[in-house]
Every structure is written in C-alpha cells, then in structure tokens.
Amino acid sequence: MKKIKVYMTIVMTVLISFLLNNIYAITPSSDNIYNGIDVSEYQENINFNLVKQSGIDIVYIRSSEGTNFIDPYFRRNYDEAKAVGLKVGFYHYVTARNITQAINEADFFASVIEGTSPDCLLAMDFEYFGGLSNEEVNAISRAFLERLEQVTNKRTIIYSDAYNAGNVFNSSLSSYPLWIAQYGVEEPELYVNWENWTGFQYSDTGRINGIIPYVDLDKFTEDVLLDDNTSIINSGNNIKPQNNISEITITVTYGETLSQIAYRYATTVSSIASLNNIANPNLIYVGQKLIIRTTENNDNFNNQVEYYRVKENDTLSQIANKYNVTVESIAQENNISNPNLIYIGQILRIEVLRYDVHGTGSTIYLVRPNDTLSQIALDYNTSVSELVRLNDIKNPNLIYVGEKLRV
C-alpha cells in the first residue's frame, strides 16, 4: 500500500508540474500600465471628457471591417478622443478568407485611417475563421500584418481571445505583440505562444462615465505606444471605400421603434434622429415619414453579416430570435453540429436579411418553423395571392424553413 501511495504521489507531482508549465498566467510586457477601453458604433455617442475623467488613458477605436465597411463613428470618436488628450489606437475587423483578400483588407484599413495620427499600435482583430485551417488563419494573419506595416510604416498588434491565442495562432506570429481577451481573471491564464501581453481585455461589460451601454475594459503596457505618432501616409494601393450611399424615405408602421428601423437599414438611431430633426428618439408615430441614409450594395435582396459573441446563459434559439433568423441558419453558417452546444466567448457569424432599399417597398422575410403563408400575409397586412405573385410560388401550402420571401 505504501508503494502505491508513493507511486501516486510521484504521478501527481509530475502532473502538477506539467500543468504549471503549460497553463500559467502570462505577464505584462512592462510594469507601466495604462487603463483603456475599446469602442465602436455600438457605443454610439461618447462623452470623451467624462471618459478621461474616469481615469481612462487609451481608447482603441474600430475604424473598419473587410474591404468596404467604415465604422460610422470612427472619425468622430477619433477627433473627440484626441481633443481631450486621450491616446488613440485603431483596430480593423478582418474577414479575409485568403491571402489576396488579406492584402486588400490591409490596404483598405490603411486608406481609411490615412491622415490620422494614432498613438498606439495598429490592431488586427481576426476572430471568425469559418472553415479555415489553422495554417490558413496564420498565413492570412501574416499577410495582413506584413502588408499593413509596409503601407503605413507603423507597427502592429494582434487582438485575440485566449482560446485562439493558444490553439489557433502559432509561434510564427509571436513576434507581434499580443492584445489578449479573457474575462473574470486577474491575469490571462491560458497557455499561449506568447510570454507576455501588451494589451489585456478583461471585461466586456464595463461601466464608464460618458458611455451609456457596456464597454470593453482593457489594460495596456507602455509597449502599445508607437515610437512615431506622425500622420499616416498610405503608400499602398489606396483602395478607397466602395460604399454606395442611398437616401430613401420610409413610413413608420405600427409597433416600430427607431432602434429597430436603424438596425434594419444598417444605420444608427442618432443618424436617423439628426436627419429628421427628431428631438426625442423614443417618440415616433405611425404614418411618420423618415429619411434614411444607408450604405448598400446594388442587389435587391441585401444581407448584412453580423458577428455575435456568445455570453453566459445564451442559447442559439435566443440569438436566432434576436436577429430574426433560424437556429438552422446560424448552425449551418458556423458549422455547429449540435445546436444545443455553444460556449461563452464563441463568435457567431449571422446573416441578417434587410429591407430592399431601392424603393420597391418590399421586405425580405425568412421563413421559420411552423410558418404558413396565410399567417405571414396576416402579419404583413397583405394577401396570400400577393405573396404567391411576388415570389412565384407554385404551391401556397408548401414553403420551406429558411426560404426568403419578398413581402
């Protein structure tokens, strides 16, 4: 028995030693720590004076996504943060699926922030990988970062959650500083290919004076600061935004809110309120005419891709209801084999259907389980025959879950 106990003690000692050497808290890259936040259009109107008075030193601002989306609050956030003396950085959300697209995105990012004077490293936010292999993810990341540094002459940083930093991004990227996201811990605790962090996002539910909704909270070391914060001169291809700005007029219907309308047309409440001289955004009325300015493609059926980070107690059904899509569509889009199994921090790609912006007055509706054509007609104050005509439906009693209907 004593031999067994000695043997078990040795085994446990070896196991603990292994764990301590493979799962440990990575440390900051320097002792000088700055308080920071990162913001985007989701925070809408920010009072940066109050933010600074709250003890914030650094603000990272989302500037862009892909090759054709500019955050509508990017320039305003930059100007106002700079005006109160905050140190500013920019991040770009990468959607590339190959090296060519990665290079194009780097050029686009550079063109968006051209003329600004950031104080902090330019950040790559690459979170959604779809069906990409780890090798492809790392190749895309390297191409994006190398191109961005080449055309801006500014150094870069990688933003990543702890899981991806330990399981996806490999040592070929460890020469770039790491801005790691992990919530509920004093220090990042997951084994990664970096020995220290330059940025640490420790909460996505922070409360800061001057910002009404939640905001991400960060710590940054002095290594996040650029040695040269002169104005960015883009020496690349200068790919400019290809956004087509459309201005349309809609009529408010029963039960609609300004936030719903803003979401549907990929704009903001403040933009609609400003365009229409609305003093109280909570007060609109049925029959009211609203001018909407939005960015769209030329297709009649426009889809908007949203990215959602799973939170505690979320279910796929709740998320699907929030975005007016089906559980099946989210599962298929994200290669989820078990719709009942999602995890906190997981990034979901959601394709959201929106109104036609070309003046046809039509709405795009995604058929859900148990829907009938008669019920849809009733909900949208139209007739079954009109739906049949608009959608060239052969059998009014046969529609499919996930089918797109013009209403």
Side-chain angles (χ1 to χ4, degrees), residues 270-307:
S270 57
S271 173
I272 299 175
S274 176
L275 280 171
N276 296 276
N277 298 316
I278 298 173
N280 184 355
N282 297 314
L283 185 60
I284 57 176
Y285 55 87
V286 175
Q288 183 176 2
K289 302 289 185 182
L290 296 178
I291 298 172
I292 307 292
R293 186 173 295 155
T294 186
T295 302
E296 293 293 343
N297 298 320
N298 293 321
D299 300 321
N300 285 334
F301 293 86
N302 291 293
N303 293 348
Q304 176 187 4
V305 173
E306 296 279 349
Y307 295 91

Side-chain angles (χ1 to χ4, degrees), residues 67-83:
T67 56
N68 64 2
F69 177 80
I70 302 175
D71 190 297
Y73 283 81
F74 143 68
R75 190 71 202 201
R76 175 177 177 175
N77 285 338
Y78 168 73
D79 290 338
E80 295 186 3
K82 276 283 195 178

Side-chain angles (χ1 to χ4, degrees), residues 1 83 85 92 94 136 141 150 160 164-165 178 180 189 226 233 270 286 300 310 325 327 358 360 364 385 392-393 400:
M1 186 65 74
H92 174 88
V94 172
E136 289 171 325
S141 299
Q150 176 189 1
S160 173
N164 289 334
L178 176 65
I180 189 168
E189 295 177 342
L226 287 167
I233 301 173
S270 57
V286 175
N300 285 334
V310 176
V325 298
V327 169
H358 300 284
T360 64
I364 307 307
S385 59
D392 193 26
I393 296 173
Y400 305 95

Side-chain angles (χ1 to χ4, degrees), residues 27-34 196-198 220-224:
T27 57
S29 62
S30 67
D31 295 330
N32 194 10
I33 304 296
Y34 294 87
N196 50 50
W197 56 264
T198 301
F220 294 103
T221 73
E222 61 187 358
D223 297 318
V224 81

Side-chain angles (χ1 to χ4, degrees), residues 316-350:
L316 216 54
S317 177
Q318 291 170 334
I319 298 168
N321 286 334
K322 176 180 179 180
Y323 288 98
N324 191 31
V325 298
T326 65
V327 169
E328 291 79 4
S329 68
I330 300 179
Q332 182 177 6
E333 188 71 27
N334 295 275
N335 299 316
I336 297 173
S337 57
N338 183 356
N340 296 315
L341 184 60
I342 55 176
Y343 56 87
I344 296 173
Q346 183 176 1
I347 302 296
L348 299 178
R349 186 178 191 272
I350 303 172

Side-chain angles (χ1 to χ4, degrees), residues 9-81:
T9 300
I10 294 172
V11 170
M12 291 301 295
T13 301
V14 171
L15 179 60
I16 291 170
S17 176
F18 173 83
L19 291 173
L20 288 176
N21 285 306
N22 287 274
I23 301 176
Y24 58 94
I26 61 173
T27 57
S29 62
S30 67
D31 295 330
N32 194 10
I33 304 296
Y34 294 87
N35 293 320
I37 57 174
D38 54 275
V39 302
S40 67
E41 65 177 310
Y42 301 111
Q43 279 71 42
E44 294 197 351
N45 298 312
I46 299 173
N47 185 326
F48 283 101
N49 267 314
L50 293 180
V51 169
K52 185 174 177 62
Q53 291 171 21
S54 298
I56 298 301
D57 308 300
I58 292 175
V59 54
Y60 259 90
I61 298 167
R62 182 179 74 166
S63 65
S64 44
E65 176 181 324
T67 56
N68 64 2
F69 177 80
I70 302 175
D71 190 297
Y73 283 81
F74 143 68
R75 190 71 202 201
R76 175 177 177 175
N77 285 338
Y78 168 73
D79 290 338
E80 295 186 3

Side-chain angles (χ1 to χ4, degrees), residues 372-378 381-393 395-399 405-406:
T372 65
L373 216 54
S374 58
Q375 185 59 53
I376 296 170
L378 183 63
N381 194 29
T382 186
S383 65
V384 170
S385 59
E386 179 65 8
L387 293 178
V388 168
R389 184 189 68 81
L390 281 172
N391 297 280
D392 193 26
I393 296 173
N395 183 355
N397 297 313
L398 185 60
I399 55 176
L405 297 181
R406 187 192 293 263

